[in-house]
Amino acid sequence: MFEIPVKWLVFILTIYLPFNIVVSMNNPLTRKTYIVQMDRSAKPEYFTSHLEWYSSKVQSVLSKPEIEGNADEEDRIIYSYETAFHGVAAKLNEEEAERLEQADGVVAIFPETKYQLHTTRSPMFLGLEPEDTTSVWSEKLAGHDVIVGVLDTGIWPESESFNDTGMTPVPTHWKGMCETGRGFQKHHCNKKIVGARVFYRGYEAVTGKINGQNEYKSPRDQDGHGTHTAATVAGSPVRGANLLGYAHGTARGMAPGARIAVYKVCWAGGCFSSDILSAVDRAVADGVNVLSISLGGGVSSYYRDSLSIAAFGSMEMGVFVSCSAGNAGPEPASLTNVSPWITTVGASTMDRDFPATARLGTGRTISGVSLYKGRRTLSTRKQYPLVYMGGNSSSLDPSSLCLEGTLNPRVVAGKIVICERGISPRVQKGQVAKQAGAVGMILANTAANGEELVADCHLLPAVAVGEREGKLIKSYALTSRNATATLAFRGTSLGIRPSPVVAAFSSRGPNLLTLEILKPDIVAPGVNILAAWTGDLGPSSLPTDHRRVKFNILSGTSMSCPHVSGIAALLKARHPEWSPATIKSALMTTAYVHDNTHHPLKDASAATPSTPFDHGAGHINPMKAQDPGLIYDLKPQDYFDFLCTQKLTPTQLKVFGKYANRSCRHSLANPGDLNYPSISAVFPDDTSIKVLTLHRTVTNVGLPSSTYHVVVSPFKGATVKVEPEILNFTRKNQKLSYKIIFTTKNRQTMPEFGGLVWKDGAHKVRSPIAITWLTPVT
C-alpha cells in the first residue's frame, strides 16, 4: 500500500488547508466585500448627499428577506470614498453584486483583494549625509512642509527616529488627525508624526473582529514593518543606532525634515483593498504630498486594479505615489504595481555587508553573511559535527528545508545542520533547528536565490551562503562520514565592491500588462537596511524571540520603496511646483547604471549584467535628481490618452475618466508614445513591419539658454535614429519634441537593451531603451 511519509503531511497540509478555506467560501450567497465605484456627477438632486445616494443604490439590490427585515442595511456599507476615488465598499453576495453592477450611476465593481507587505548606511551611500554643509539637502531645504503618507502596519511612536525636536509647527493646510486606541493616544502624535489613522473594516469583514488583546486596534505597530518604512522615509537622525552591535552609526531617513502621516492598513492576516483604498482616499483629503506604499497584490487589468485607480486619482490631485515592485524575483514578469502613474521601485544592495564564515573540517573557509549575536557561541578552535538531511536528488525534501516538525532531534542534536532556503521564513528554519537541538545552522541558497546573500538576526549561530558554496557544503556532508564545521561572525564591513547590485528577490519585468511601459522604474537600496523597529517583537519577528531592539535590519522592495518616497519628498521641498510626473522623470533620467567598479550594474541572481527589466532606469541618484536639466512631463489627461490605447471599453475607461469628465483625444498612435522617461519599442508579430517611430517631448528645467546633443547606444537587431539630434533651448520651461525611429535589421529572439542620452556639458538626461520583437504566430 502507498504511504505518505509523516514529514510530508505537515508540508501538504500547509499548502492544502488555506486553499480549502478559499474554496469553501466560494458560495454565491456568501457575503463578501465589494468596492463599488460610482459616477459622482450622476447623483439625482433629491438626495442630500452622495452617501445617501450610494446607500440607496446598495439597499435597492439587497435580497428581499433582508429588505423586509431592514435590520442590516447600514452594516452593509463599510466605507465611503470621496477624494481619490468615489463610491463605497459594501458587503454583498454574488447575486446582489451582479444586480448592482447593472444599476445606473455604477461605474464598476471590484471584489475585495488581499495584498501582502513586500518585505542606516543608505543616506551616506546615496550622498545625503547632512555633515556636508554645502549639500543641496541642507536644513534650509529639509522639507518641513512636505508630508509623506505611509500605508503600512502602523508606527512605534516612542522610537527616537520620530523625535520632533527642532521641527517647525505643523503646516496649517494639514487636515489629518490622530486616531486613538489601545496603546496610542493624542500625545503620540507630534510635529514629526502629524497624523495616524487605522483602517480595518474590510479586514474584519473577511476575517472577523480583531482581537484587541492580541493586536493593537490602533495606529501602534506591533509588526515592525510600518515603523521601519516610516523611519526610512523621514526618520530623524539618531546617533549610535545599531542592531546588536551591527551597522553602528547614525540612522536617518531620506527626508529627515519631512513629516509622517501613518495609515495603518495591514493586520496580522494581511492587507485588504477596501482598507487600502479608504486610506489612500483619506490621505489625499488630509493633504499628503507623497504616498509610500510598500505592499502589492497580483497584476490585473488597469480598470480592475483598485490600488491603480486610487493612485490615478491621487496623481490627479498632485500626489506622488511610489510602490514596491515585489519580492518575486528573479522570475521574469513578476512585477506588481505597474501602472505608469505609479513609481515602481526595485531593490539593490549597498556597499555594506555583515560577513560571517563557515570553516569546514577540510580546512576550507566558506564566506557568507549573518546578523547573529547571542549567548550561544561556537568555538572557532573546535569543529562540530555537520549534517544535511536532504539527499543527492534535486527533488524537494521538507527535511532539507528544515520545515516545522521535519528534523529528527536524535540526528541533529549537538550538530550544525544545513538548511535550504524556500517555503518557510529563513529565521524560522533556525528556530526549527534550535528546537531539534542543533548548535548551529548553515542556510544554503538554491537556484532561485543564486549568490545573493541576505543577513538575518538568527536565534542560533547561523551563516547564510550562496548556491555554489551551498552545493559544495552539502556534497561534503553527504560524502564524508565525519563531516565537521564551525561558524564565525565578523561584524560589519564597509566599502563592498561591486555595489550596488540588483537584488535577486527584486521583481522583474517585462511589464506584461503593457510591454511599451518599461518597468520597474528604478532601483534603490533594499538589502540589509537599518531602521527603527517596534518594541513589541524581536528582530527575527518570531514569537519565540524575546530579544528587544530599537533598530532592525530588513531586506525587501518594502525597504527600497520608502527610499524613493523620501527622496521624492526632498525634491518636492526643493521644487514645490513640480508635478508627480516631473519628480519621477528627474529620478529616472539621472539614475546611474554603473557600479562602484565602473562596470554595468550586476544581477545578484546570475552575477551577469542586469538589464532595464531588472533595474529600470537604473539606481537612484538623489544628488543629480535635484537638477535634471530636462524632464519628461505628463498631465493626467496624457495618462488617460494612454489608457485609450489599451483596448478598454467606454465603460472601463469611465473608471479613470469620471473625476474630470475625461474623453479620449486619440493623441497617441502607439502606447509607446506616452511621454514616459523610459523607452520601449515593441515590434508586432507581423514581420513586414520593419520601421517603428516613437515620440517624446522634453521640458527645459535647467539654464534658459542650453543646447543638448543626443547619443544613442548601438543595437544588433535595429538601427536607431533620433530626429533632431540637437535641441536648442532659449528659455526655461520651453518644450521641444523629438522622434526615435527604429528600423529592424535582424529580428532578435530576445529583447535588446541600450540607452538614449541628451547631453549639454552639465547634464546627462538618460532614458533606457528596450526593443522587443514579438514572435510571429505560426
Side-chain angles (χ1 to χ4, degrees):
M1 191 177 94
F2 176 73
E3 289 184 358
I4 299 175
V6 173
K7 66 184 180 183
W8 275 104
L9 288 176
V10 176
F11 184 45
I12 292 167
L13 287 172
T14 303
I15 292 173
Y16 173 74
L17 284 177
F19 175 73
N20 195 42
I21 290 165
V22 172
V23 171
S24 67
M25 289 175 66
N26 197 20
N27 179 330
L29 296 178
T30 301
R31 285 184 202 162
K32 303 176 200 167
T33 304
Y34 290 88
I35 295 165
V36 184
Q37 187 178 14
M38 301 292 292
D39 178 355
R40 196 167 184 271
S41 63
K43 178 181 78 69
E45 289 182 9
Y46 51 81
F47 287 106
T48 56
S49 71
H50 280 90
L51 180 57
E52 184 189 357
W53 176 47
Y54 301 158
S55 300
S56 165
K57 283 291 180 188
V58 170
Q59 191 177 7
S60 71
V61 301
L62 297 186
S63 303
K64 272 207 169 82
E66 294 176 21
I67 293 176
E68 288 161 11
N70 202 28
D72 75 341
E73 177 261 320
E74 284 301 314
D75 294 338
R76 292 303 198 95
I77 290 179
I78 60 175
Y79 286 118
S80 65
Y81 307 118
E82 301 168 0
T83 308
F85 188 89
H86 298 287
V88 294
K91 289 186 277 188
L92 306 167
N93 65 39
E94 219 169 275
E95 293 173 0
E96 292 167 343
E98 286 171 5
R99 287 199 293 271
L100 187 57
E101 197 162 21
Q102 305 306 315
D104 291 340
V106 175
V107 176
I109 290 186
F110 316 95
E112 180 81 279
T113 307
K114 186 177 178 182
Y115 287 72
Q116 298 293 347
L117 296 163
H118 287 152
T119 242
T120 67
R121 182 166 165 77
S122 46
M124 186 180 290
F125 184 63
L126 294 171
L128 293 175
E129 277 302 286
E131 281 78 4
D132 175 10
T133 54
T134 62
S135 168
V136 294
W137 311 117
S138 66
E139 286 304 308
K140 284 182 279 186
L141 293 170
H144 291 292
D145 289 336
V146 177
I147 299 167
V148 182
V150 180
L151 272 66
D152 217 294
T153 63
I155 198 162
W156 192 262
E158 290 83 5
S159 170
E160 295 171 74
S161 293
F162 309 122
N163 187 319
D164 66 351
T165 302
M167 295 195 74
T168 57
V170 178
T172 53
H173 65 76
W174 176 244
K175 299 182 183 68
M177 66 175 290
C178 272
E179 296 180 3
T180 60
R182 185 168 78 88
F184 202 96
Q185 302 305 318
K186 294 282 186 190
H187 72 269
H188 285 120
C189 284
N190 56 16
K191 289 178 283 189
K192 168 62 73 176
I193 304 171
V194 297
R197 297 181 185 270
V198 292
F199 302 84
Y200 51 75
R201 293 178 200 161
Y203 177 74
E204 288 192 333
V206 173
T207 65
K209 292 286 183 187
I210 292 169
N211 183 328
Q213 296 308 305
N214 297 339
E215 198 166 0
Y216 292 111
K217 205 171 179 179
S218 76
R220 182 168 290 278
D221 176 22
Q222 70 192 70
D223 178 273
H225 191 278
T227 299
H228 199 281
T229 55
T232 302
V233 170
S236 301
V238 181
R239 294 185 184 278
N242 68 90
L243 168 62
L244 303 175
Y246 289 99
H248 191 280
T250 298
R252 61 188 289 277
M254 298 296 100
R259 326 274 184 169
I260 297 164
V262 177
Y263 298 88
K264 184 173 177 177
V265 295
C266 295
W267 305 86
C271 330
F272 287 83
S273 54
S274 60
D275 296 327
I276 295 165
L277 192 53
S278 185
V280 171
D281 191 64
R282 188 67 256 170
V284 174
D286 285 346
V288 302
N289 305 104
V290 175
L291 276 171
S292 188
I293 306 176
S294 286
L295 46 86
V299 174
S300 54
S301 302
Y302 298 112
Y303 72 95
R304 302 295 294 171
D305 183 342
S306 56
L307 178 55
S308 172
I309 296 162
F312 189 96
S314 304
M315 172 271 300
E316 286 184 298
M317 305 292 279
V319 177
F320 177 92
V321 181
S322 78
C323 294
S324 45
N327 297 340
E331 287 300 310
S334 50
L335 292 162
T336 63
N337 302 319
V338 296
S339 299
W341 46 89
I342 289 173
T343 299
T344 312
V345 187
S348 55
T349 65
M350 294 190 300
D351 63 344
R352 178 181 67 194
D353 215 344
F354 306 101
T357 58
R359 187 164 57 84
L360 306 183
T362 59
R364 179 161 183 170
T365 298
I366 306 292
S367 296
V369 297
S370 183
L371 291 168
Y372 175 72
K373 181 69 68 75
R375 289 190 298 271
R376 291 183 177 209
T377 56
L378 300 182
S379 171
T380 54
R381 298 176 183 176
K382 180 182 172 184
Q383 287 280 309
Y384 299 83
L386 181 66
V387 61
Y388 173 54
M389 301 295 286
N392 279 316
S393 115
S394 58
S395 60
L396 204 62
D397 186 328
S399 293
S400 70
L401 293 163
C402 300
L403 300 181
E404 198 80 47
T406 63
L407 294 183
N408 185 342
R410 285 178 297 189
V411 178
V412 304
K415 298 175 183 175
I416 295 173
V417 63
I418 302 165
C419 299
E420 291 177 341
R421 278 179 68 174
I423 307 295
S424 63
R426 299 182 299 269
V427 288
Q428 192 176 323
K429 296 174 189 294
Q431 171 67 9
V432 169
K434 182 182 177 183
Q435 287 173 336
V439 296
M441 175 180 73
I442 295 174
L443 183 64
N445 279 4
T446 61
N449 321 110
E451 300 311 307
E452 174 182 68
L453 299 179
V454 179
D456 291 299
C457 201
H458 293 283
L459 287 168
L460 85 170
V463 174
V465 300
E467 183 197 9
R468 284 193 303 269
E469 305 285 38
K471 282 181 178 175
L472 185 150
I473 298 170
K474 287 183 283 188
S475 173
Y476 167 59
L478 288 170
T479 57
S480 175
R481 187 177 296 176
N482 298 307
T484 60
T486 190
L487 309 177
F489 307 95
R490 309 294 187 197
T492 304
S493 181
L494 304 177
I496 301 298
R497 296 160 72 89
S499 63
V501 173
V502 177
F505 62 74
S506 187
S507 290
R508 312 303 171 96
N511 168 15
L512 294 186
L513 204 51
T514 309
L515 286 171
E516 291 85 354
I517 301 298
L518 206 160
K519 290 279 183 170
D521 291 312
I522 203 159
V523 291
V527 179
N528 298 335
I529 304 301
L530 180 80
W533 189 243
T534 176
D536 245 28
L537 199 62
S540 69
S541 293
L542 294 174
T544 52
D545 187 353
H546 300 297
R547 299 170 294 181
R548 292 294 178 264
V549 295
K550 292 183 177 179
F551 294 86
N552 201 3
I553 291 173
L554 300 181
S555 298
T557 54
S558 274
M559 283 63 251
S560 50
C561 169
H563 278 82
V564 171
S565 308
I567 293 162
L570 287 173
L571 292 176
K572 188 69 177 175
R574 185 173 176 84
H575 302 283
E577 75 285 1
W578 278 12
S579 69
T582 301
I583 293 172
K584 176 194 268 196
S585 177
L587 293 172
M588 289 175 66
T589 61
T590 58
Y592 59 83
V593 291
H594 289 83
D595 60 31
N596 58 1
T597 68
H598 308 293
H599 290 102
L601 294 178
K602 286 188 172 59
D603 176 358
S605 70
T608 55
S610 58
T611 75
F613 286 171
D614 309 319
H615 62 236
H619 190 281
I620 195 164
N621 188 349
M623 299 301 289
K624 295 280 188 188
Q626 53 91 27
D627 179 23
L630 305 176
I631 56 100
Y632 294 85
D633 201 11
L634 284 163
K635 301 287 190 290
Q637 181 63 41
D638 298 317
Y639 288 116
F640 189 81
D641 288 334
F642 158 78
L643 287 165
C644 296
T645 69
Q646 296 301 291
K647 299 185 172 64
L648 303 185
T649 66
T651 303
Q652 291 163 353
L653 279 170
K654 269 187 190 176
V655 166
F656 298 94
K658 273 300 159 193
Y659 172 73
N661 199 24
R662 302 190 188 283
S663 59
C664 294
R665 296 181 307 187
H666 304 292
S667 57
L668 303 181
N670 177 317
D673 272 340
L674 180 70
N675 200 39
Y676 211 66
S678 55
I679 297 163
S680 179
V682 181
F683 281 91
D685 53 15
D686 182 349
T687 56
S688 67
I689 298 174
K690 297 191 179 299
V691 179
L692 184 67
T693 302
L694 297 180
H695 302 82
R696 290 292 184 272
T697 299
V698 285
T699 304
N700 178 28
V701 293
L703 293 172
S705 179
S706 50
T707 300
Y708 285 83
H709 300 259
V710 74
V711 178
V712 184
S713 55
F715 292 83
K716 290 179 190 172
T719 57
V720 182
K721 184 174 174 56
V722 177
E723 294 180 354
E725 295 181 342
I726 297 173
L727 297 176
N728 288 304
F729 292 93
T730 56
R731 65 184 186 278
K732 197 160 185 175
N733 296 319
Q734 182 182 358
K735 294 179 184 293
L736 291 176
S737 298
Y738 67 92
K739 58 185 178 181
I740 314 116
I741 304 160
F742 298 88
T743 306
T744 296
K745 294 187 296 186
N746 178 21
R747 287 180 77 101
Q748 303 290 298
T749 55
M750 296 294 287
E752 266 202 278
F753 304 100
L756 175 155
V757 186
W758 289 102
K759 300 180 179 181
D760 72 341
H763 304 93
K764 292 181 180 178
V765 185
R766 185 182 183 280
S767 293
I769 295 177
I771 309 177
T772 305
W773 290 265
L774 298 182
T775 306
V777 179
T778 53

